[in-house]
């Protein structure tokens, strides 16, 4: 790869972003409100009602396992804990008590993780659920319906591109495969829950 100095600067800037932006739909404005402890990409995040938690990701070309808490009340972000493994391209949900982080890629070219990690902000502790996917999964999207988490699609070295929908009962720590499938395999996408349906 050969780049001019100007292109190198542009390339580095594109992967070296630490800012935290706030978007206000009422005024249709974006404001930079803080900075992350380090630049991160391919993360997942949840909101617990008071703070945001950002899980793992890629720091430039270094893979991380950090959990970063962002507090809008003070516009500060800090590393508060670590996941058991470095990972990126995870998905995550908040069930009202805990954050659950699904799968992820450990290193480029390496098999994905099949596990589910549980993070409790009150005790600031991380544990690995007993339930696990039958194969490693990354690049999925996930929502919490109010009673269960649903993990959509993703990619897997073992199973290939995925069209599955997995239901995870966070209280019972039980993972089941749904009868429905996505119209086609999908990865690198997002999902939301509107109170009745998930939209991908």
């Amino acid at each position: 790869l050969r780049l001019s100095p100007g292109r190198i600067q542009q390339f580095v800037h594109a992967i070296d972003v630490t800012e935290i932006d706030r978007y206000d739909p009422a005024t249709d404005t974006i404001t930079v409100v803080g900075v992350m402890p380090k630049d991160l990409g391919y993360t997942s995040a949840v909101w617990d009602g008071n703070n945001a938690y950002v899980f793992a990701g890629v720091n430039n070309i270094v893979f991380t396992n950090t959990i970063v808490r962002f507090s809008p009340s003070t516009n500060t972000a800090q590393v508060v804990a670590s996941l058991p493994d470095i990972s990126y391209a995870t998905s995550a949900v908040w069930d009202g008590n805990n954050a659950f982080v699904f799968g992820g890629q450990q290193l480029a070219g390496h098999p994905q993780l099949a596990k589910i990690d549980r993070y409790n902000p009150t005790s600031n502790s991380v544990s690995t659920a007993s339930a696990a996917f039958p194969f490693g999964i990354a690049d999925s999207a996930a929502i919490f319906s109010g009673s269960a988490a649903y993990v959509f699609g993703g990619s897997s070295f073992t199973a290939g591109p995925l069209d599955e929908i997995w239901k995870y009962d966070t209280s019972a720590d039980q993972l089941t495969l749904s009868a429905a499938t996505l119209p086609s395999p999908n990865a690198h996408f997002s999902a939301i829950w509107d109170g009745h349906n998930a939209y991908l």
Side-chain angles (χ1 to χ4, degrees), residues 51-69:
N51 301 292
Y53 294 88
V54 183
F55 302 101
V58 181
N59 167 225
N60 200 345
I61 57 172
V62 178
F63 302 94
T64 71
N65 65 342
T66 57
I67 300 174
V68 176
R69 181 181 65 213

Side-chain angles (χ1 to χ4, degrees), residues 92-181:
V93 302
W94 174 256
D95 78 341
N97 296 296
N98 300 283
F100 293 86
V101 183
F102 302 103
Q105 182 87 39
Q106 279 198 285
L107 294 168
H110 286 231
Q112 295 91 347
L113 298 168
K115 65 176 185 167
I116 302 169
D117 287 325
R118 180 192 302 108
Y119 172 65
N120 183 282
T122 303
S123 61
N124 196 34
S125 60
V126 180
S127 57
T128 299
S130 296
F133 298 99
F135 42 75
I137 181 172
D139 308 309
S140 63
I143 59 93
F144 187 73
S145 71
S147 59
Y150 292 85
V151 182
F152 302 96
S155 59
S156 172
F157 283 175
T158 304
L162 303 175
D163 62 1
E164 287 91 348
I165 302 172
W166 291 91
K167 177 182 179 181
Y168 178 61
D169 186 326
T170 59
S171 298
D173 188 18
Q174 185 175 15
L175 188 66
T176 55
L177 181 62
S178 299
T181 59

